Amino acid sequence: MSNEKNIAEQEEVIEEQNAAEVEVEGETVNPDTTTETEEASESGNVAEQRIAELEAKLEEAENKVLRAQADFDNFRRRTRLDQEAAQKYRAQSLVSEIIPALDNFERALQIEADNDQTKSLLQGMNIVYNQLIQALQNEGVEAIKSVGEQFDPHIHQAVMQVEDENFESNTVIEELQKGYKLKDRVIRPAMVKVNQ
C-alpha cells in the first residue's frame, strides 16, 4: 500500500504542475517563469529610468559648462576692453589738470610787449607753451575747432545766443574758452557764442 500511496502522491504533484501551467497566446507558460519575466521587465524599467535620469543630469552639466564658458569669454572680453580704454585714456587726468595752465599761458601771451625785456619773456613763454602743446598732441590731445562750425552739443557748450545776419543759423560765432579732446573723448567742451 505504501507503493500505491507513493504513486498517488506523484500523480497529485504532476496534476498540480499541469494545473499551474497557464496557456497564454497559444504558448504554455509556467507561473514560476512568469514571475521571473516580470522581475526582468521591472528591472529593465528601473534601468531605463536610471539612464534617463543620468542623461538629464549630463545635459544639465553640459549646459552649466557652456554657460560658465560663455561667462568667462564675456569676462575676458570686458577685461580686454577695459584695459584698452585705460591704456588709450591713461593721460586723461593729467590733461585735465594741464588745460587750465594752457589757458593761463594763452592769456599771458596776449599781453602787448612794450619793451625788450617783456618781449624776451613772452618769447620764452611762447616756447614753453608750444612744447606743452606738442607734448599734449603726442598723447592725442587736440583743440576743438569751433568758430564757423555748426554747433554740436557733444563738443560745444553754448553760453550765449545772438542774432547775426552774417552767419547761418546754429553756427558758432565766437569761442569764449577753448575745448579739448583726448583722442575721441571730450575732456572739456568749448564754450561758445552761437547764432540763432
Side-chain angles (χ1 to χ4, degrees):
M1 207 145 163
S2 71
N3 255 350
E4 289 178 11
K5 202 175 190 182
N6 281 341
I7 292 175
E9 286 177 3
Q10 285 178 356
E11 286 178 356
E12 280 181 29
V13 169
I14 291 173
E15 284 178 17
E16 285 178 8
Q17 284 179 349
N18 286 341
E21 292 179 354
V22 177
E23 190 173 304
V24 176
E25 296 180 356
E27 294 183 18
T28 305
V29 178
N30 190 336
D32 296 333
T33 59
T34 302
T35 56
E36 290 173 5
T37 307
E38 288 174 356
E39 288 174 5
S41 73
E42 285 178 13
S43 67
N45 288 341
V46 170
E48 287 176 10
Q49 288 175 351
R50 182 71 177 143
I51 289 171
E53 288 175 11
L54 291 175
E55 286 176 347
K57 286 182 180 178
L58 177 64
E59 186 177 340
E60 183 180 334
E62 286 175 348
N63 287 338
K64 284 182 180 179
V65 167
L66 288 175
R67 275 189 248 115
Q69 187 176 7
D71 287 344
F72 181 70
D73 288 344
N74 289 337
F75 170 74
R76 188 173 37 196
R77 182 180 50 80
R78 278 192 310 269
T79 302
R80 182 178 44 83
L81 291 175
D82 289 346
Q83 288 173 346
E84 288 174 2
Q87 179 66 23
K88 186 175 182 180
Y89 302 114
R90 71 184 184 281
Q92 181 174 347
S93 63
L94 179 63
V95 169
S96 297
E97 292 178 16
I98 290 178
I99 287 174
L102 287 178
D103 292 339
N104 291 333
F105 264 111
E106 290 169 357
R107 286 185 203 102
L109 292 173
Q110 291 174 357
I111 294 174
E112 295 286 330
D114 55 355
N115 60 31
D116 289 337
Q117 189 177 10
T118 308
K119 285 181 183 177
S120 118
L121 179 66
L122 286 176
Q123 282 179 333
M125 287 181 64
N126 198 19
I127 291 170
V128 173
Y129 173 75
N130 288 331
Q131 286 177 334
L132 273 174
I133 292 293
Q134 185 60 46
L136 290 174
Q137 286 175 346
N138 291 342
E139 283 297 317
V141 176
E142 61 184 64
I144 296 172
K145 295 179 183 175
S146 298
V147 177
E149 301 287 324
Q150 283 292 328
F151 175 75
D152 182 357
H154 299 292
I155 59 174
H156 298 126
Q157 180 181 0
V159 292
M160 293 178 68
Q161 278 191 328
V162 294
E163 287 188 35
D164 190 340
E165 295 174 358
N166 299 328
F167 293 94
E168 292 181 17
S169 177
N170 210 25
T171 301
V172 175
I173 296 174
E174 184 181 346
E175 182 178 65
L176 304 174
Q177 183 182 46
K178 274 189 176 179
Y180 292 93
K181 290 192 318 186
L182 174 61
K183 299 187 169 82
D184 57 353
R185 184 179 285 179
V186 175
I187 301 297
R188 181 177 79 183
M191 296 176 89
V192 294
K193 186 190 297 185
V194 181
N195 191 29
Q196 281 185 323

